[in-house]
Amino acid sequence: MEFTDDQVVRYSRHIILPEVGGKGQGKISAAKVFLIGAGGLGCPISYYLTAAGVGKIAIVDDDVVDLSNLQRQILHSTKTIGRPKVESAKAVLNDLNPDVEIVAIKDRLTPENILGFIKDYDIVIDGSDNFPTRYLVNDACVLAGKPLSSGAVLRFEGQVTTIVPGKGHCYRCLFEEMPPAGLVPSCQEGGVLGVLPGIIGTLQAMEVLKLILGKGDVLKNTLLIYDALRTTFRKVKVPKNPDCPVCGTHPTITALCSSYEANYCRA
Amino acid sequence: MDEIIPDKKIDIRGLKCPYTFVRSKLTIESMNTGEVLEILLNYPEAAVSIPKSMQDHGQRVLSVNKINDTEWVIVIRKERD
Ligand SMILES: [Zn+2]
């Protein structure tokens, strides 16, 4: 692609890298990603992907900015309390990099709308904070064949994995069914040290850039677990489960039904 | 020695590092393997760093000549994508 003088300067530290170059930056600029959540994970993910010059980023979130978000959700500010998170995020991201098209979707993902949303995007990124959404996004990505970066944080621990349908595991190969509501931490148990989603979100953003560039090894068949208190990163092998209900040889989930709802506390 | 006719010439006088290399690299990327690029520059550090970086990236440096007090001409052949 042809770069403007400003783009040559803006992306110079990418272009210099042998693994990226002008061609790689061209791929980044042509990429379209769909991000679920403008919260603790979604903020750093979209911040860095916008800085990197990803061509189009859609962000879906139905929440509004709350004072309690500001301890970790770095796109929002005291001034945007009460405004939809996707709008608060879009304003900052547009200021950061006008090359990037930000599509703000103030909506809730449902089994009915998700496939329509993701069909025009290359990669899906899950920055949601609840199990029903995580399973819904996983199943939708497997059915639609879309690569997915999935992240989760709780208290002092974070997890990241990258799902490439047909080429590795999926979230249900790892945890076949949603945990029953009792096993899910209650609101009081659901604290998080503010930097943690920043670390996990930036790992997800890096995975997405590698998927776009086709460079390096992504967390395929692997779950990365970060323990912030002990400062350890652990990689756990996750083989594809041939009996997986969604990506296995004889899947039982072949369409998105409406069984994702559960009354979990959304911390 | 045969005279090498460059397939492309760029004048990056006035540019500093790292933009000297960024411009040279983008130009090399747009060329075909085997083609030759001639770079005219006046940023002294780049007269050393561009040949080194081009070599690191797998290209062949054919010559580096200081043509007057302030300017250099570097000739590079593209060896790989
Ligand atoms: Zn699976």
Side-chain angles (χ1 to χ4, degrees), chain A residues 4 7 10-11 53-56 94 97-101:
Chain A
T4 64
Q7 287 171 331
R10 183 185 283 269
Y11 305 120
V54 168
K56 185 172 178 178
N94 282 156
N97 190 348
D99 290 347
V100 178
E101 183 189 349

Side-chain angles (χ1 to χ4, degrees), chain A residues 120-169:
Chain A
D120 297 325
Y121 293 84
D122 308 313
I123 297 169
V124 178
I125 312 161
D126 188 3
S128 71
D129 58 359
N130 63 88
F131 283 102
T133 304
R134 196 165 305 149
Y135 280 83
L136 171 62
V137 172
N138 176 76
D139 295 352
C141 286
V142 172
L143 293 178
K146 301 282 181 186
L148 164 66
S149 163
S150 185
V153 292
L154 185 66
R155 283 180 270 182
F156 298 97
E157 191 177 284
Q159 301 182 345
V160 197
T161 190
T162 302
I163 290 154
V164 186
K167 292 188 177 152
H169 77 300

Side-chain angles (χ1 to χ4, degrees), chain A residues 5 8 12-13 15-17 21-23, chain B residues 18-19 21-23 25-26 29 57 81:
Chain A
D5 288 349
V8 169
S12 56
R13 268 57 174 187
I15 294 168
I16 289 169
L17 291 169
K23 289 201 176 109
Chain B
Y19 306 109
F21 178 61
V22 171
R23 277 290 175 203
K25 186 179 175 190
L26 285 172
E29 277 188 28
H57 284 227
D81 264 321

Side-chain angles (χ1 to χ4, degrees), chain A residues 60-169:
Chain A
V60 61
D61 199 311
D62 69 343
D63 214 356
V64 294
V65 178
D66 183 85
L67 179 58
S68 66
N69 300 149
L70 303 184
Q71 155 259 23
R72 65 196 180 285
Q73 300 185 14
I74 56 173
L75 282 171
H76 313 308
S77 75
T78 316
K79 280 190 285 187
T80 60
I81 288 169
R83 281 183 57 196
K85 284 186 182 177
V86 289
E87 283 178 23
S88 168
K90 184 184 162 103
V92 175
L93 298 171
N94 282 156
D95 281 349
L96 171 61
N97 190 348
D99 290 347
V100 178
E101 183 189 349
I102 304 290
V103 181
I105 306 168
K106 187 182 183 307
D107 204 344
R108 205 174 150 67
L109 278 187
T110 66
E112 290 74 35
N113 68 17
I114 185 169
L115 290 170
F117 277 139
I118 67 175
K119 72 175 190 331
D120 297 325
Y121 293 84
D122 308 313
I123 297 169
V124 178
I125 312 161
D126 188 3
S128 71
D129 58 359
N130 63 88
F131 283 102
T133 304
R134 196 165 305 149
Y135 280 83
L136 171 62
V137 172
N138 176 76
D139 295 352
C141 286
V142 172
L143 293 178
K146 301 282 181 186
L148 164 66
S149 163
S150 185
V153 292
L154 185 66
R155 283 180 270 182
F156 298 97
E157 191 177 284
Q159 301 182 345
V160 197
T161 190
T162 302
I163 290 154
V164 186
K167 292 188 177 152
H169 77 300

Side-chain angles (χ1 to χ4, degrees), chain B residues 19-38:
Chain B
Y19 306 109
T20 48
F21 178 61
V22 171
R23 277 290 175 203
S24 306
K25 186 179 175 190
L26 285 172
T27 309
I28 281 277
E29 277 188 28
S30 72
M31 295 166 61
N32 297 315
T33 307
E35 289 185 336
V36 172
L37 170 66
E38 183 184 286

